[in-house]
Amino acid sequence: MSIDSSEGIFLFQGSALVVSDETPDTGIANGQSPEIVHQVFKDSDHFEMPAVDAPVTIRGASLGKDTPIPAGWRTVSVRQGLSLLAAGTAVDGKGPIGRMLRAYHIAQWRQDSAFCGSCGTRNTDAPDELARLCPACGRREYPRISPAVITLILNDDGRALLAHNKKFADKVYSLVAGFNEAGESLESTVAREIREEVGLEVKDITYIASQPWPFPNSLMLGFTARYAGGEIHPDGIEIEDARWFTRDDLPNLPGSGSVSRYLINGWLSHQYD
Ligand SMILES: [Zn+2]
């Protein structure tokens, strides 16, 4: 059966895509046939078929974490799928990768919003927009999106500040990042995170690009900023080490497909100095 990607359903289990063995690795971002998914998984625990007649082009659904994967199907971790498909590109929310990540965000949200947060009734998919609808009290719930900033800090000597976070793979250095807090502008978040994590003050905070990052529900907003004062002082909690690097003496960098690498590549090609 040929599948129009605009009709496909993305099925997840935890942080993995569930795909049929007939789907090649390069086709995992095209979705699965709704009819086949319904037929194979309709009786699985926690599985809730998306409303296929809802006017949304992306449909994500989840299996319970203990649901056995039937013969003829396999799982591919979403992050692995991302690095497989994103080689050399930045994720901008478009194309097959954008569809896959959007579906992942939606699948997690549908699972987390199984019940109305106000009266506890089981939610349904709203028929007219991307929302969950409580049939008892009418409350609507929309996908949660958590803004986070990530910043390339540059100094007047042509160097960039890269930091090693405890969560990173061995020896990988990347950019300082953190979540926007209630009541804060994005520029304030950039300045606060840099002050807290590496002890520096910055100026000339400039927005560059954004990237949906549904692990689980972030929108990464990428900035550049200019060093304005202070000594590097890693917080020791998240950041273990931070240093100024020149373009010709770089540590291991984050993988392609991430906004951090996109910003670093922009600096390496002198889009900002
Ligand atoms: Zn309700």
Side-chain angles (χ1 to χ4, degrees):
M1 174 177 184
S2 73
I3 300 165
D4 179 341
S5 59
S6 66
E7 302 173 346
I9 281 191
F10 290 82
L11 186 60
F12 299 91
Q13 184 174 47
S15 58
L17 260 171
V18 181
V19 297
S20 74
D21 283 344
E22 288 158 22
T23 309
D25 280 350
T26 50
I28 59 172
N30 292 332
Q32 303 287 313
S33 153
E35 291 78 16
I36 293 174
V37 167
H38 178 70
Q39 194 184 321
V40 175
F41 295 99
K42 64 182 187 311
D43 296 325
S44 297
D45 285 348
H46 304 294
F47 176 69
E48 185 187 354
M49 189 72 185
V52 283
D53 53 353
V56 290
T57 53
I58 300 299
R59 306 180 190 107
S62 303
L63 296 176
K65 66 178 171 49
D66 299 324
T67 303
I69 301 301
W73 293 73
R74 70 186 191 284
T75 57
V76 180
S77 101
V78 175
R79 281 176 185 274
Q80 188 191 330
L82 183 63
S83 53
L84 187 78
L85 299 168
T89 67
V91 177
D92 56 6
K94 298 174 190 159
I97 303 164
R99 282 201 300 272
M100 176 180 76
L101 293 182
R102 185 170 180 218
Y104 183 46
H105 188 161
I106 291 169
Q108 295 173 91
W109 160 70
R110 287 181 77 247
Q111 191 171 43
D112 292 344
S113 59
F115 298 95
C116 172
S118 184
C119 75
T121 303
R122 185 171 275 282
N123 276 328
T124 60
D125 289 320
D128 54 346
E129 61 176 347
L130 185 59
R132 300 287 263 164
L133 175 64
C134 173
C137 74
R139 179 179 180 273
R140 283 177 185 248
E141 183 172 333
Y142 298 89
R144 176 182 296 181
I145 298 168
S146 303
V149 300
I150 185 158
T151 310
L152 176 71
I153 308 165
L154 303 171
N155 72 9
D156 291 337
D157 301 328
R159 292 168 192 252
L161 187 106
L162 300 174
H164 178 71
N165 187 304
K166 282 183 176 170
K167 289 183 287 191
F168 293 164
D170 205 23
K171 294 181 182 151
V172 168
Y173 281 68
S174 186
L175 308 181
V176 173
F179 283 106
N180 176 248
E181 293 185 350
E184 214 175 35
S185 71
L186 296 172
E187 291 80 2
S188 303
T189 311
V190 167
R192 176 183 53 75
E193 286 289 345
I194 292 170
R195 192 178 301 126
E196 286 176 0
E197 295 194 355
V198 292
L200 301 182
E201 297 298 324
V202 294
K203 59 183 181 181
D204 302 341
I205 297 167
T206 306
Y207 170 75
I208 303 293
S210 67
Q211 174 186 44
W213 195 245
F215 301 97
N217 53 28
S218 298
L219 175 66
M220 299 297 293
L221 298 130
F223 290 82
T224 58
R226 172 100 17 215
Y227 169 76
E231 296 290 319
I232 296 174
H233 186 48
D235 69 3
I237 303 163
E238 288 188 59
I239 305 295
E240 274 185 335
D241 186 36
R243 300 179 206 180
W244 295 106
F245 290 92
T246 59
R247 289 183 178 88
D248 52 14
D249 182 22
L250 291 168
N252 292 336
L253 297 174
S256 37
S258 60
V259 74
S260 51
R261 185 58 179 267
Y262 178 82
L263 291 167
I264 292 168
N265 286 349
W267 169 64
L268 292 176
S269 61
H270 293 269
Q271 287 173 43
Y272 13 86
D273 285 298

